Amino acid sequence: MDPHRVLVTYRLTTGAQKRLEALGYELDLAPPGLSRTDLLSRVRGVHALMCIPADRIDTELLDTAGNSLRVVSTNTAGYDHIDLAAARRRGIMVGHTPDAATDAVADLAIALIIMVLRRVPAAVAMARTGEWSPEHTMLLGHQLRDKTVGIVGLGRIGTAVMRRLTGFGVRQPLYSDRHARPEIAMQVGARFVDFGTLVGKSDIICICCTLNDSTRHLFTYDVFRQMKSSAVVINVARGDIIKQDELVRALADRVIAGAGLDVMTPEPLPADHALFGFPNCVVLPHVAYATLEAREAMCQRCIDNVVAGLNDQPLPYSVPN
Ligand SMILES: O=CC(=O)O
């Protein structure tokens, strides 16, 4: 029997690549940054596709891949770039890499909170120019103690963010979600509230939920207006959870005090985008998952899914039904 064909659209870690090469598949290790046209041409006839969010996995792609395709394995926890219903209709298994980057993302969420509250980018810029004096009113920010943090989405990442926050002396954290999660909430001492309450009461709102029809554009100008004017919003989930133009307006109108974004729309964000013009808005290039440890775990899980799927086994990290 011919070997299974596997297309990989991103750069694997050295360890993961060696493992994949040893599995005897016919590999197409595509150069990163594959155009849609190249993706469509390379996906034809493959049995497994290892992909990232830049690759839109829709009907067109699945049709182009054809009947051979058995597994789509995304190297991410999020899978909003995959048309799950279309994959299901074709009997294609879909896997992701949950929990591999939880610690990395939670660490970066804390970093973003502190960067915004303590005006770290402005401080770094000031140190570089040497234009600072030892007076005591320079770049005053806010500390975390006694602040109310609201987490939108108490999944793995939201919980990991809350665990980290307890050491900072924050007030009892709030969370909103599709439903209460009493067991997890008890572990981290969080209180379930409706979204409106969370928005109105929080000093720091950290978006950790998945992107789906109910969370797309959840944060509008109207929602920003319900926040305290001293509040900041952090997004380590997906850009489309915020109506980005309305965030720009809210920052311009000083409706909120700042934002820290690891995700945005589109990615990369054009260099002349308005969000880069606000000193109180920290924008990072979607690097929350970017630690060596997380990356290795993600690549290995992505391969685990392919190996299982091509052996007609259930995927160890299947997307939820
Ligand atoms: O964005 C990264 C992920 O979904 O893992």
Side-chain angles (χ1 to χ4, degrees):
M1 202 178 78
D2 287 342
H4 287 124
R5 291 179 54 202
V6 178
L7 170 60
V8 187
T9 69
Y10 58 93
R11 194 165 284 138
L12 291 162
T13 59
T14 310
Q17 184 168 330
K18 283 202 178 120
R19 177 181 168 209
L20 195 60
E21 281 167 351
L23 285 166
Y25 301 136
E26 185 185 321
L27 294 182
D28 179 2
L29 304 176
L34 213 53
S35 70
R36 176 79 180 168
T37 315
D38 284 346
L39 174 63
L40 289 177
S41 101
R42 293 172 101 121
V43 82
R44 224 173 270 279
V46 303
H47 298 91
L49 169 62
M50 294 169 63
C51 62
I52 53 173
D55 310 317
R56 200 165 19 88
I57 311 303
D58 55 9
T59 305
E60 179 191 31
L61 183 134
L62 298 174
D63 285 345
T64 307
N67 291 338
S68 58
L69 186 60
R70 283 158 54 185
V71 195
V72 172
S73 179
T74 181
N75 202 55
T76 47
Y79 44 85
D80 47 280
H81 54 295
I82 303 173
D83 184 339
L84 293 184
R88 241 173 248 132
R89 278 197 299 277
R90 290 164 178 76
I92 296 167
M93 295 182 263
V94 180
H96 65 145
T97 61
D99 222 11
T102 301
D103 286 325
V105 176
D107 288 352
L108 200 91
I110 301 296
L112 272 172
I113 292 172
I114 293 176
M115 283 175 88
V116 177
L117 289 185
R118 300 300 300 273
R119 305 165 67 184
V120 172
V124 170
M126 192 178 274
R128 277 176 182 273
T129 62
E131 286 171 17
W132 50 283
S133 58
E135 44 134 333
H136 282 225
T137 54
M138 210 172 65
L139 287 175
L140 296 180
H142 292 278
Q143 57 201 33
L144 268 159
R145 180 166 297 283
D146 290 336
K147 297 292 180 298
T148 298
V149 182
I151 303 273
V152 180
L154 194 63
R156 293 185 184 91
I157 291 171
T159 308
V161 171
M162 278 205 180
R163 284 219 166 85
R164 281 157 175 75
L165 281 169
T166 53
F168 288 92
V170 296
R171 278 180 202 273
Q172 184 183 34
L174 308 177
Y175 76 99
S176 68
D177 210 317
R178 271 175 302 185
H179 50 82
R181 299 175 183 271
E183 274 173 35
I184 304 171
M186 209 162 64
Q187 287 169 27
V188 289
R191 182 156 67 90
F192 179 61
V193 290
D194 60 59
F195 181 65
T197 305
L198 179 135
V199 164
K201 286 199 181 308
S202 301
D203 299 301
I204 298 145
I205 293 180
C206 190
I207 305 175
C208 299
C209 57
T210 52
L211 172 65
N212 54 44
D213 288 345
S214 63
T215 59
R216 190 178 307 276
H217 295 164
L218 185 60
F219 283 80
T220 57
Y221 189 78
D222 235 30
V223 168
F224 293 124
R225 269 198 336 177
Q226 291 163 39
M227 288 168 58
K228 298 180 184 176
S229 57
S230 56
V232 304
V233 65
I234 306 296
N235 191 0
V236 290
R238 284 291 182 266
D240 275 342
I241 296 168
I242 292 179
K243 254 196 169 179
Q244 200 163 271
D245 290 349
E246 303 196 8
L247 171 62
V248 169
R249 223 174 103 211
L251 289 168
D253 294 352
R254 297 175 191 272
V255 162
I256 59 169
L261 312 172
D262 185 50
V263 287
M264 60 234 61
T265 312
E267 293 179 6
L269 197 62
D272 61 354
H273 195 278
L275 280 175
F276 289 115
F278 298 105
N280 52 345
C281 179
V282 177
V283 180
L284 300 181
H286 201 153
V287 285
Y289 67 88
T291 65
L292 293 171
E293 297 89 340
R295 187 122 190 85
E296 185 63 38
M298 290 163 89
C299 290
Q300 295 292 351
R301 277 170 205 201
C302 203
I303 296 174
D304 292 344
N305 281 330
V306 168
V307 171
L310 293 180
N311 280 317
D312 293 321
Q313 300 295 317
L315 306 193
Y317 307 105
S318 176
V319 299
N321 276 320

